[in-house]
Amino acid sequence: MESLYHRGVLIINTKDKLQKLKDYIHNLDNALIAFSGGVDSTFLAKISYDVLGDRVLAVTATFPMYSKSELKEAIDIAKKIGIPHLVVEFNDILEIEEFKKNPLNRCYICKSNLFSKFKAIAKDRGLNYVLEGTNADDVSDFRPGRRVLKELGILSPLLECGIKKEEIRILSKEMNLPTWDKPSYACLASRIPYGEEITYDKLSMIEKAEEGLRDLGFSGFRVRYHGDVARIELPKEQMDAIFEKSVREEIVKRLKNAGFKYVALDLEGYRTGSLNEPHVRVVKDVQ
């Protein structure tokens, strides 16, 4: 190891945690991995495949809140790893009225349905465990869906082994995983304020708007839905680019083509779960 620090993060125990993770997975004998193609699930899938080989199956669910570009990337990454991979449809989520109403426990409703399907697939395939990629840093955010994992007996090896996001990135880079520096991603429904009904049209607008920004070279951003207004959250280091006239005009054009009437820039920049900020005080009421 070249240094005990990486971008200011102490990593002296990272290798020990990695071995602990491998031992944890080895003791399971077989598993289904909930695989989105993000930083965490890719790392978990890679380690699981290295340890268990074909006794592990990565499963990706397609649903309206999961962008087409993310699905394609997940398929490509699974091929790169070599892990057996299954893509299943989960398009009936918007038929659940309680979910469509977008309550504070929206994530709980979604995950309850999703992981119940994963458990059924695991049972059909003779797999005894379902794993997912919550890491040790995720406990600090507003995530009402975590209760589902306990209720359904879903395992979170990265969390249980105390592995943090930055450590996952460090190890992923060493393993040449393409996700090592991938920005965090959350489902498209997280762009819609709680209480605002979730519809295919709104999700499509958000997906098209974000694809437009991505095509212009932006990354690690969010387009938040506020009716006719698209509120863009950009990483602070990318904000200057938006004030160039040609870039600004292209952004406005693309987001209006996506269906928005007005385009606004959030001067606070991107931060995880900004739509959760008014609700973090009531987290205990929905968990």
Side-chain angles (χ1 to χ4, degrees), residues 33-89:
I33 311 292
F35 181 68
S36 67
V39 179
D40 302 327
S41 68
T42 295
F43 175 71
L44 178 60
K46 169 63 174 171
I47 298 300
S48 298
Y49 182 60
D50 286 350
V51 173
L52 299 177
D54 290 342
R55 289 176 290 155
V56 65
L57 173 68
V59 179
T60 302
T62 67
F63 52 110
M65 296 85 70
Y66 188 54
S67 73
K68 298 179 185 65
S69 62
E70 287 293 314
L71 174 59
K72 181 182 182 304
E73 191 167 339
I75 293 171
D76 291 342
I77 291 170
K79 288 180 180 178
K80 178 179 176 62
I81 293 173
I83 189 171
H85 185 216
L86 177 67
V87 177
V88 297
E89 290 190 358

Side-chain angles (χ1 to χ4, degrees), residues 271-286:
R271 62 269 190 207
T272 301
S274 71
L275 291 179
N276 295 334
E277 291 168 357
H279 308 288
V280 290
R281 293 181 180 177
V282 297
V283 63
K284 293 183 180 179
D285 294 335
V286 296

Side-chain angles (χ1 to χ4, degrees), residues 188-206:
L188 297 175
S190 67
R191 279 63 155 169
I192 302 175
Y194 292 111
E196 172 82 32
E197 184 180 11
I198 300 171
T199 68
Y200 283 104
D201 288 345
K202 292 172 186 175
L203 294 171
S204 179
M205 287 172 63
I206 296 165

Side-chain angles (χ1 to χ4, degrees), residues 12 26 84 96 115 132 134 150-151 259 283 286:
I12 188 170
H26 176 76
I96 301 174
F115 279 97
E132 64 84 49
T134 296
K150 294 181 180 179
E151 293 175 349
V283 63
V286 296

